[in-house]
Amino acid sequence: MTSTWGMSLAATKLRPPLPPGQLVRRSRLDDILDAGVEGQARLVLVSAPAGSGKSTLLASWLAGRPEAVAWLQAEESDSDPARFWSYLVEAIGQARPFAAGDVKSAVVGSNGDDLVVVSALVNELADAAEPLVVAIDDYHLIDNGSVQRGMERLIDLCPRQVTIVLSTRIDPPFRLGRLRVRGQIAEIRGADLRFDADEASGLLGSAVRSLDRARLDQLCGRTEGWAAGLVLAGLSLERAADPGEFVEAFRGDDQLVVEYLRDEFFAAVDADDRRRLLETSILEQLSGALVDSVTGATGGAKWLLDTAGTNQLLIGLDRTRTWFRYHHLLRDLLRLEAHQTFPERIPGLHARAAEWYESQGDHGQAIVHRLAGGEARQAARLLLVHGPRLLAGGQTETLRGFLDQLGDVAKTVTWCALLYGWCEYVGGRYSRAQEWLDTLVEVAPEGFDHTPAISLRMNISLARGDVTTALGTARQVTATEHLMSHSCDLATATGAAYAWAGQAGEARQALRFAAEKAAAERFPTAHVLSLVYQAIVEFDDGSPASAQTAASTAVDTAQNFGLAAYHGVAPAYAIRARTGGDPVRAHADASQALSLARRASTDLALGFVLTACGDTLIGLGDTAGAPLLAEARSVLARCPDPGVAGRYLARTESRHGLAEAGGGSGRAAVLIEQLTDRELAVLRYLPASMSQRDIASELYVSLNTVKTHCRSIYRKLGVGDRKAAIQAARDLHLL
């Protein structure tokens, strides 16, 4: 959101809807809600079908409570974890001053990782003593497992002065039975929300004067106290010639809505109002200017006010009466009628909406309408601007959703291929990410600048455990001015490649620059990772004191950013465990490192952490250490070239007598024996993904000759296999 309008629209999600003109106070339900908050229930659950009056009940109840209230109106797009948590943190920040910026950094930096975000949020909430109610309306629209896990964890860990209130059509997938047994939940169900005759008389307004008590009871029975049914009945009763006959014929189920709209509602509005209702049904939220743009008419603001004044199914979203939305039931049926009335006009209406949103700087909504109108190429054009923003905000699921809807168009547009590659990489699908990079190369026009793809290319190589390829790319980067002219993620990836390759000097230089650039760009994840890789460099370079300092700096910085539970920090915890002098702290750090690394780390990082923690625990006499080294061996075996992680594992196994491996505990300083020219020629082919037969063919020698040279190379380098030989040769600057 880059415009003032964009921020105001987002704000409509963060405040309760305005109460209807005919608000019915329901004290019996208010008492249940009050008891939940005052009894310090962790969760207040309002679960009932559509049209039951959940939102109105909560909004009116919260308006009378003394506590600060954080409100979030959930939408389907909020299933993206980063988007959901960003909005929830913003809602809480508006209700109660706290370090929202730090928690937002944790959200963005972790792509909405539930473990990271909830830990950071709970820590902030624990520091405040004042009561707080956090209400989320339409929670059933959230269908992401990570968000669900995070919300259940938030409910479990929130301080007692915080109450979570959820309004939903279906029960959330939480362990509600456990909360009931512990007395930590207050519930309002569909049966509780049914209007009795006295409450219904208030909801019907002036129309109730046409009914006697018996007819009123009959109407409540036919609607089963359903709020939406009673509202619709009230609208029709105003025009009914015979109220008794109307009540006799009235049905209160979902089919009522369809019949009512066609037989009653549309019959009562003039042609101009009917047209506006149908045309604006494509919108999720409405303002006067937006209505005018979509309908091509004028007076949209007055029309909204007039309609809301007579129809409770048009709901106000702000106190200035600028933004509105249709009740879900009315919206769905208006859309159905629109598709039946003028299906050929629907794409054009979406195009008008998209143009208006784009003019206001809301590219996200513009893309939604371009896609809904079948304009995939126009949506792709907008992703050139909006895609990187979503990526930077951690909203990879939202971005991927847009890209998926583009279909084959995404395969023909360079920036879409690049964005797809990043989505796949973040999701841990590295082969798919590489395929999208290959697609980018195929569709790129002549003269296309491939620099924006370099960072992703290095990250994919490292994620697949291919240090050789990543190092080659890093050397190309540092041979140019790209580090200075591009974002910090390029410097971080470059430094990481040098770090895993054991090139200490180049790594330090790139990573210092990456940390400075990340701080200037306010990119906390890149900042933390640059410090983590610095700790790896110091550890690999053989200085325990420097490694301890660097690892502690990385961990402390991560904690300051709310990223202490981010999986990328795992190597720093592992190094701090290995280089520290306190056995208790070493055990704790090793446990934290293992927990984080197993969540989402690449094979390189996981293998390194397993090795460091295994090394630490064996040194502490803990029998859990040796199995960790065995696990590390299986993980790093998947890597084409594990770099320093593979060397560290081999030497750790040798030092603890767990495997036959060449080398000692430090870095190799000299060759056991100088390599011949032919051996050097073979050595230069080892980092490539070529078999010994392929190397023999390339050098015009026999396979046996290459095998002989390889055995001699391994012996002279003091290693036992090809991967170790590659890293040893790098250490000796032979590659």
Side-chain angles (χ1 to χ4, degrees), residues 12-13 55 64 78 107 175 183 230 238 288 290 303 305 346 355 397 402 443-444 467 474 483 497 551 583 667 725:
T12 62
K13 291 167 57 67
S55 300
D78 295 331
V107 172
R175 290 165 290 183
L230 288 167
E238 295 282 358
L290 178 55
W303 177 77
L305 289 171
I346 301 299
E355 290 169 3
E397 292 199 16
F402 284 150
V443 302
V467 173
L483 284 186
R667 296 173 61 128

Side-chain angles (χ1 to χ4, degrees), residues 417 420-421 424 429-442 460 464:
Y420 238 136
E424 299 289 8
R429 297 175 289 273
Y430 307 127
S431 295
R432 289 287 299 146
Q434 183 61 52
E435 289 173 9
W436 280 108
L437 273 183
D438 295 340
T439 298
L440 183 150
V441 173
E442 292 173 5
I460 292 173
R464 299 171 79 175

Side-chain angles (χ1 to χ4, degrees), residues 157-214:
L157 298 180
C158 255
R160 296 184 65 81
Q161 71 270 19
V162 178
T163 303
I164 307 294
V165 179
L166 298 183
S167 168
T168 178
R169 295 181 190 176
I170 58 175
D171 284 356
F174 304 159
R175 290 165 290 183
L176 297 177
R178 185 181 62 166
L179 293 173
R180 293 184 184 112
V181 169
R182 296 176 178 178
Q184 295 175 335
I185 184 173
E187 298 178 80
I188 291 180
R189 297 284 171 176
D192 302 314
L193 284 163
R194 292 174 180 170
F195 280 70
D196 59 28
D198 292 334
E199 293 170 333
S201 64
L203 193 64
L204 292 169
S206 60
V208 75
R209 292 194 295 267
S210 63
L211 301 177
D212 57 25
R213 182 69 186 202

Side-chain angles (χ1 to χ4, degrees), residues 124-141:
E124 291 293 341
L125 291 174
D127 291 336
E130 296 300 318
L132 172 69
V133 175
V134 180
I136 305 176
D137 195 19
D138 285 337
Y139 186 76
H140 57 273
L141 296 175

Side-chain angles (χ1 to χ4, degrees), residues 275-581:
R275 177 182 60 81
R276 288 203 213 198
L277 287 165
L278 296 181
E279 289 175 342
T280 56
S281 67
I282 67 166
L283 304 170
E284 293 294 336
Q285 297 183 343
L286 305 89
S287 72
L290 178 55
V291 168
D292 289 344
S293 182
V294 170
T295 63
T298 59
K302 182 177 184 302
W303 177 77
L304 285 170
L305 289 171
D306 292 345
T307 304
T310 59
N311 189 340
Q312 294 189 57
L313 297 182
L314 182 63
I315 302 167
L317 297 177
D318 58 10
R319 298 194 179 280
T320 63
R321 309 290 285 179
T322 301
W323 285 96
F324 298 82
R325 70 170 174 86
Y326 291 123
H327 190 286
H328 301 312
L329 295 173
L330 178 59
R331 178 203 63 192
D332 293 346
L333 270 298
L334 286 174
R335 288 179 179 177
L336 176 63
E337 188 72 13
H339 278 279
Q340 293 177 347
T341 304
F342 45 65
E344 74 286 349
R345 293 189 55 213
I346 301 299
L349 295 173
H350 280 295
R352 291 181 184 180
E355 290 169 3
W356 189 85
Y357 279 118
E358 187 175 355
S359 73
Q360 302 299 312
D362 188 347
H363 293 85
Q365 280 298 314
I367 291 170
V368 167
H369 284 284
R370 290 296 185 194
L371 290 169
E375 296 183 304
R377 291 213 169 268
Q378 289 289 349
R381 173 183 60 81
L382 293 171
L383 276 174
L384 175 61
V385 176
H386 194 58
R389 293 176 183 168
L390 291 173
L391 202 58
Q395 296 186 37
T396 53
E397 292 199 16
T398 297
L399 175 56
R400 185 185 177 86
F402 284 150
L403 292 166
D404 285 345
Q405 292 180 71
L406 291 180
D408 290 340
V409 170
K411 300 176 182 178
T412 66
V413 181
T414 51
W415 60 85
C416 289
L418 179 58
L419 292 169
Y420 238 136
W422 274 113
C423 288
E424 299 289 8
Y425 170 77
V426 171
R429 297 175 289 273
Y430 307 127
S431 295
R432 289 287 299 146
Q434 183 61 52
E435 289 173 9
W436 280 108
L437 273 183
D438 295 340
T439 298
L440 183 150
V441 173
E442 292 173 5
V443 302
E446 186 177 352
F448 179 76
D449 181 10
H450 288 266
T451 306
I454 293 176
S455 175
L456 177 58
R457 194 175 301 281
M458 275 191 288
N459 278 304
I460 292 173
S461 296
L462 292 174
R464 299 171 79 175
D466 186 357
V467 173
T468 293
T469 302
L471 178 60
T473 307
R475 285 171 172 165
Q476 293 173 11
V477 171
T478 52
T480 67
E481 297 296 322
H482 290 328
L483 284 186
M484 300 295 295
S485 57
H486 287 76
S487 64
C488 61
D489 66 302
L490 180 59
T492 304
T494 301
Y498 280 124
W500 287 120
Q503 310 296 291
E506 296 90 336
R508 288 190 181 102
Q509 183 176 359
L511 292 170
R512 278 196 296 267
F513 179 73
E516 294 170 0
K517 200 169 181 65
E521 295 175 6
R522 297 185 179 181
F523 198 157
T525 311
H527 191 169
V528 168
L529 286 176
S530 66
L531 298 177
V532 171
Y533 291 128
Q534 287 184 43
I536 292 173
V537 171
E538 298 306 321
F539 182 74
D540 179 64
D541 209 29
S543 173
S546 297
Q548 170 74 194
T549 300
S552 296
T553 299
V555 170
D556 292 344
T557 303
Q559 290 173 340
N560 291 336
F561 283 135
L563 292 170
Y566 171 48
H567 66 83
V569 190
Y573 281 108
I575 292 170
R576 195 168 73 170
R578 181 65 184 86
T579 57

Side-chain angles (χ1 to χ4, degrees), residues 83 216 230 241 258 293 354 516 518 721:
R83 180 180 173 90
L216 180 59
L230 288 167
V258 178
S293 182
E516 294 170 0
D721 57 36

